[in-house]
Amino acid sequence: NTANATVHKLTIQYNMNGGGLASTHGSTVSDDGTYVLLNSSRTIHTINYGESLPSGGLSDLNSASLINLQKIGYHIDASAAFNTKADGTGDTFNQTTAYAASDFDDISAGNKTIVLYANWKANTDTPYKVQHWQQKLTGSVTPQNDTNYTLTDTDNLTGTTAASVTPAVKTTYTGFTVPPTQTVTIAADGSTILNYYYTRNSYDVTLNKGTGIDTVTGAGSYLYEAQVSIDATVKTGYTWNKWTGD
């Protein structure tokens, strides 16, 4: 009789962790089952007890011939591509080290399966916009839309995906009231647009009747850059001279 034993194996599965496969990827299942798609997990490697990964290490997540993952607004750093926890707080593994089975788990007592999660890092160059609108001379304060406001300036900015930012307002618009700053979160897809609306200042025109003036008209409150028409009626026995004052 011949005694036989089966070597213990460690199976490593890959989880996209919120990402997805790019349009170009290695979708063919290899002969050894290395790249079997299992819902959101992919079997990457099987390692025998006492052995190590091939010299190339774990699969390259950014290779079009292999997995080639993508997640809008995020990237994978090859030096810390995998983590044993979805939130990135577990053990980290890179793409190139030929890890031994024991680096992942102890399989001396039997077969085990572990899951490595894609360790996404937020992009630091995600675009967002800040738009500055000035109230039209004929526009109302509300609603704040392109009927009542004119788009004056657009700031094309970048920041870290999912980060909160408080963009600056413009303080150089003469005759307009500066709105308070706002805080927004940068969307991963670069779609964040923050709008600042600047209202026109209002100025009071006061008219007083001087000597020989019967009536004056045109006093009131006017928006910045509005045209003002004033008039005066002279009493009998007087001749018009001029307006004085600021």
Side-chain angles (χ1 to χ4, degrees):
N1 294 328
T2 301
N4 295 291
T6 301
V7 63
H8 296 163
K9 296 180 181 294
L10 175 73
T11 299
I12 302 174
Q13 290 185 344
Y14 162 75
N15 187 288
M16 298 180 189
N17 199 18
L21 292 173
S23 58
T24 303
H25 59 86
S27 58
T28 303
V29 177
S30 59
D31 292 339
D32 62 359
T34 301
Y35 302 108
V36 178
L37 187 63
L38 301 173
N39 297 321
S40 62
S41 293
R42 182 179 286 269
T43 300
I44 295 180
H45 287 290
T46 299
I47 313 175
N48 290 335
Y49 176 73
E51 296 181 359
S52 300
L53 289 168
S55 59
L58 295 167
S59 297
D60 184 351
L61 300 187
N62 302 314
S63 169
S65 64
L66 298 177
I67 298 174
N68 200 23
L69 281 186
Q70 65 179 6
K71 183 178 181 181
I72 295 174
Y74 294 83
H75 66 280
I76 291 176
D77 182 351
S79 65
F82 302 92
N83 199 280
T84 53
K85 292 186 178 180
D87 62 3
T89 61
D91 295 327
T92 299
F93 297 91
N94 63 47
Q95 293 177 174
T96 58
T97 299
Y99 294 106
S102 58
D103 291 328
F104 299 101
D105 207 339
D106 180 11
I107 58 172
S108 59
N111 297 333
K112 288 187 179 179
T113 297
I114 66 167
V115 176
L116 294 181
Y117 296 87
N119 195 23
W120 295 107
K121 302 296 183 183
N123 290 347
T124 58
D125 59 352
T126 303
Y128 67 99
K129 290 182 179 182
V130 180
Q131 298 184 150
H132 304 270
W133 300 76
Q134 291 182 347
Q135 183 187 359
K136 295 179 180 179
L137 190 55
T138 57
S140 302
V141 174
T142 57
Q144 295 175 330
N145 54 31
D146 58 6
T147 298
N148 294 318
Y149 289 81
T150 299
L151 180 59
T152 306
D153 287 297
T154 298
D155 299 330
N156 292 299
L157 306 173
T158 58
T160 302
T161 297
S164 295
V165 292
T166 306
V169 294
K170 301 286 188 184
T171 58
T172 56
Y173 294 153
T174 300
F176 291 85
T177 297
V178 177
T181 56
Q182 300 179 51
T183 299
V184 294
T185 300
I186 301 175
D189 62 359
S191 63
T192 298
I193 298 177
L194 174 59
N195 294 299
Y196 282 131
Y197 293 92
Y198 301 74
T199 56
R200 285 181 181 267
N201 294 340
S202 180
Y203 301 92
D204 292 328
V205 176
T206 302
L207 301 177
N208 298 307
K209 294 185 293 183
T211 302
I213 300 300
D214 187 24
T215 60
V216 291
T217 59
S221 182
Y222 294 87
L223 292 178
Y224 173 67
E225 294 183 319
Q227 183 176 351
V228 179
S229 296
I230 58 176
D231 195 13
T233 303
V234 180
K235 292 180 180 180
T236 302
Y238 290 85
T239 300
W240 170 256
N241 184 6
K242 62 180 179 181
W243 290 99
T244 59
D246 297 330

